[in-house]
């Protein structure tokens, strides 16, 4: 009996030792997990509160609107890639009980810490508003660009035109910008810089010359050229041809989806040896601003006329958005070869593009919907 009691006691003691050992192991594992998690959180928080790029030197302009709260400001800073984490920055501002941010336009850099950004938004120097603001829309011709620049800057339109067509100046630009080649000076090209002035909103101080304004716009297009150099090379087209085709896409389409689909249609036509037959190229050659193309228009001798001349036109016919450039470089693999655009309406404010595989189907659309354009043009005159 005594031996049995002794055995049970030993078993119980052994069980308790095992239980303590298991408990210690579990506690050790949990403690390790806690340490690892804590270290990970610490590293995450620390990295979130460090500069995005300590080596950055480029200035970034940020506009803080009146009444903007911490959430809005955090979002704006993240959009400009000035902070690593929007949520962490927002809670950090609350933790520091910061609230006296001032509305205005600030110059910041990615090398700044969140504390430096906070201090700048409280006490930093607010940039004064630009003297000149120029907005160049997508899909407009050089004539309209010149008119817009003239109105915004006070320069006379003929002075702007003279500067932007000066042969010596164009030659100097070709030497300066890799994207510009002798293609822009071919006989028949109306404006050497047509399509190369990137459509966007620009702000300038007084004293900027016409050439400086133009080169700021060229710089923006050069960035797109550099970013897509490999794709341009793979396309088998020169950048001038990409812009020329892109400008046609810009004038024909109103949505990103239509841009890629129409670029696919143009690609199919080029591959099939067909003429591109794009009405906007006809209008550019005639100088007409109408959606109604006549038989006489189609016979004009302009080298932009894709009804008369095969292949990509001699040059761009308008400003070109980045989206249209990307559409040309990566068009849809489509079965369509024809399309017809219906005019804007209450139901379709951007109009509607009808795509077809055969000429017969396309002609049915032309007969059925062309009267809509007659009505549309008449309504604009009223």
């Amino acid at each position: 009996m005594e031996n049995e009691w002794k055995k049970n006691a030993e078993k119980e003691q052994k069980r308790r030792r095992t239980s303590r050992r298991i408990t210690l192991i579990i506690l050790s594992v949990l403690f390790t997990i806690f340490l690892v998690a804590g270290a990970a959180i610490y590293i995450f928080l620390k990295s979130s509160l460090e500069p995005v790029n300590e080596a950055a030197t480029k200035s970034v302009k940020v506009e803080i609107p009146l009444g903007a709260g911490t959430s809005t400001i955090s979002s704006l800073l993240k959009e400009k890639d000035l902070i690593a984490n929007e949520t962490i920055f927002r809670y950090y501002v609350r933790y520091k009980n910061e609230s006296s941010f001032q509305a205005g336009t600030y110059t910041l850099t990615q090398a700044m810490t969140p504390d430096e950004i906070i201090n700048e938004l409280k006490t930093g120097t607010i940039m004064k508003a630009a003297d000149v603001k120029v907005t160049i829309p997508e899909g407009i011709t050089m004539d309209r660009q010149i008119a817009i620049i003239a109105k915004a800057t006070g320069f006379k339109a003929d002075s702007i035109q003279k500067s932007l067509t000066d042969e010596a100046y164009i030659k100097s630009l070709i030497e300066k910008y890799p994207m510009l080649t002798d293609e822009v000076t071919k006989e028949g090209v109306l404006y050497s810089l047509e399509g190369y002035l990137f459509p966007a909103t620009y702000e300038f101080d007084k004293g900027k010359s016409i050439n400086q304004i133009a080169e700021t716009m060229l710089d923006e297009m050069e960035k797109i050229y550099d970013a897509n150099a490999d794709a341009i090379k793979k396309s088998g087209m020169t950048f001038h041809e990409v812009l020329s085709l892109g400008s046609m896409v810009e004038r024909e389409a109103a949505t990103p989806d239509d841009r890629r689909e129409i670029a696919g249609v143009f690609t199919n036509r080029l591959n099939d040896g067909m003429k591109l037959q794009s009405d906007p190229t006809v209008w550019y050659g005639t100088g007409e601003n109408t959606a109604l193309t006549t038989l006489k228009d189609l016979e004009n001798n302009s080298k932009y006329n894709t009804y008369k001349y095969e292949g990509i036109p001699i040059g761009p016919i308008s400003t070109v958005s980045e989206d249209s450039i990307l559409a040309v470089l990566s068009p849809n693999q489509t079965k369509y070869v024809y399309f017809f655009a219906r005019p804007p309406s209450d139901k379709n404010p951007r109009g509607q593009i009808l795509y077809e595989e055969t000429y017969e189907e396309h002609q049915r659309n032309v007969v059925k919907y062309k009267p809509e354009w007659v009505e549309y043009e008449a309504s604009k005159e009223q």
Side-chain angles (χ1 to χ4, degrees):
M1 188 75 177
E2 185 179 346
N3 287 338
E4 186 176 345
W5 179 84
K6 189 176 181 180
K7 286 181 180 179
N8 289 335
E10 288 176 351
K11 284 182 180 180
E12 178 64 20
Q13 193 175 25
K14 186 177 180 181
R15 186 188 67 77
R16 288 178 179 177
R17 283 199 302 268
T18 302
S19 178
R20 283 197 298 269
R21 190 178 295 115
I22 292 172
T23 301
L24 285 172
I25 291 171
I26 291 173
L27 288 174
S28 297
V29 170
L30 290 174
F31 183 67
T32 302
I33 292 173
F34 175 77
L35 285 178
V36 171
I41 292 171
Y42 172 77
I43 292 171
F44 172 70
L45 291 174
K46 186 174 182 295
S47 63
S48 297
L49 296 174
E50 290 178 344
V52 173
N53 180 4
E54 290 183 350
T57 57
K58 183 179 179 181
S59 296
V60 180
K61 212 164 52 167
V62 181
E63 291 187 12
I64 305 299
L66 284 170
T70 304
S71 295
T72 300
I73 293 172
S74 299
S75 179
L76 290 171
L77 293 174
K78 182 58 181 171
E79 283 178 13
K80 298 289 186 178
D81 203 22
L82 289 164
I83 56 174
N85 188 288
E86 180 180 338
T87 303
I88 298 299
F89 182 84
R90 187 167 65 247
Y91 282 110
Y92 184 65
V93 169
R94 290 180 183 176
Y95 165 74
K96 297 199 69 175
N97 197 28
E98 300 285 4
S99 60
S100 55
F101 296 131
Q102 301 297 313
T105 303
Y106 294 85
T107 301
L108 308 174
T109 75
Q110 291 181 329
M112 297 174 71
T113 66
D115 281 322
E116 289 172 332
I117 291 174
I118 289 169
N119 289 333
E120 188 70 19
L121 295 179
K122 289 166 54 183
T123 61
T125 303
I126 301 178
M127 294 178 61
K128 69 181 183 64
D131 298 316
V132 177
K133 188 173 183 179
V134 181
T135 298
I136 303 297
E138 301 164 353
I140 66 168
T141 64
M142 182 62 77
D143 287 334
R144 284 189 61 197
Q145 294 170 64
I146 289 172
I148 290 171
I149 295 171
K151 184 176 181 180
T153 62
F155 287 115
K156 291 184 178 180
D158 56 354
S159 296
I160 299 172
Q161 183 180 37
K162 185 177 179 180
S163 294
L164 299 185
T165 56
D166 181 78
E167 290 184 13
Y169 180 55
I170 298 300
K171 186 177 179 180
S172 72
L173 291 176
I174 292 174
E175 293 174 355
K176 181 177 180 180
Y177 292 93
M179 68 176 175
L180 289 170
T181 67
D182 289 337
E183 291 169 288
V184 303
T185 61
K186 280 185 179 179
E187 184 179 353
V189 170
L190 295 182
Y191 285 105
S192 294
L193 298 182
E194 184 77 89
Y196 286 89
L197 303 183
F198 187 70
T201 296
Y202 300 91
E203 294 183 348
F204 305 101
D205 292 328
K206 286 181 179 178
K208 290 285 186 181
S209 68
I210 296 169
N211 291 357
Q212 288 174 320
I213 291 172
E215 287 171 42
T216 299
M217 298 177 181
L218 288 171
D219 290 340
E220 292 304 306
M221 184 61 80
E222 182 87 359
K223 292 177 185 176
I224 295 173
Y225 169 77
D226 290 338
N228 296 281
D230 290 340
I232 295 167
K233 187 175 181 180
K234 289 178 182 177
S235 74
M237 294 181 283
T238 65
F239 188 56
H240 188 72
E241 290 173 327
V242 170
L243 282 183
S244 298
L245 200 55
S247 67
M248 293 169 56
V249 170
E250 195 72 60
R251 292 298 308 278
E252 296 277 16
T255 68
D257 289 341
D258 279 329
R259 288 186 180 107
R260 281 160 176 74
E261 190 71 5
I262 288 175
V265 170
F266 284 148
T267 299
N268 288 344
R269 290 183 185 178
L270 290 170
N271 291 339
D272 292 344
M274 298 172 59
K275 292 177 181 176
L276 290 176
Q277 295 187 327
S278 172
D279 284 3
T281 65
V282 176
W283 307 332
Y284 187 78
T286 61
E288 296 293 332
N289 184 24
T290 177
L292 299 175
T293 307
T294 66
L295 290 176
K296 183 179 179 181
D297 293 333
L298 299 180
E299 294 171 358
N300 84 82
N301 288 321
S302 165
K303 291 187 178 179
Y304 291 90
N305 185 353
T306 54
Y307 278 85
K308 190 165 187 176
Y309 297 99
E310 295 180 357
I312 299 171
I314 193 171
I317 60 172
S318 71
T319 54
V320 191
S321 67
E322 182 176 12
D323 196 49
S324 288
I325 292 171
L326 295 178
V328 169
L329 294 175
S330 184
N332 284 355
Q333 300 295 315
T334 182
K335 61 185 178 179
Y336 298 118
V337 188
Y338 299 94
F339 65 89
F340 182 84
R342 296 178 65 185
S345 64
D346 293 338
K347 186 176 181 180
N348 295 299
R350 290 188 170 187
Q352 180 187 18
I353 308 291
L354 305 173
Y355 300 95
E356 302 294 351
E357 293 182 64
T358 68
Y359 181 73
E360 289 73 24
E361 292 170 321
H362 172 65
Q363 279 302 111
R364 280 197 287 271
N365 287 335
V366 173
V367 172
K368 183 176 180 179
Y369 295 110
K370 193 169 184 178
E372 291 182 345
W373 280 108
V374 176
E375 294 178 9
Y376 178 76
E377 288 295 306
S379 68
K380 292 196 305 183
E381 296 175 1
Q382 294 176 356

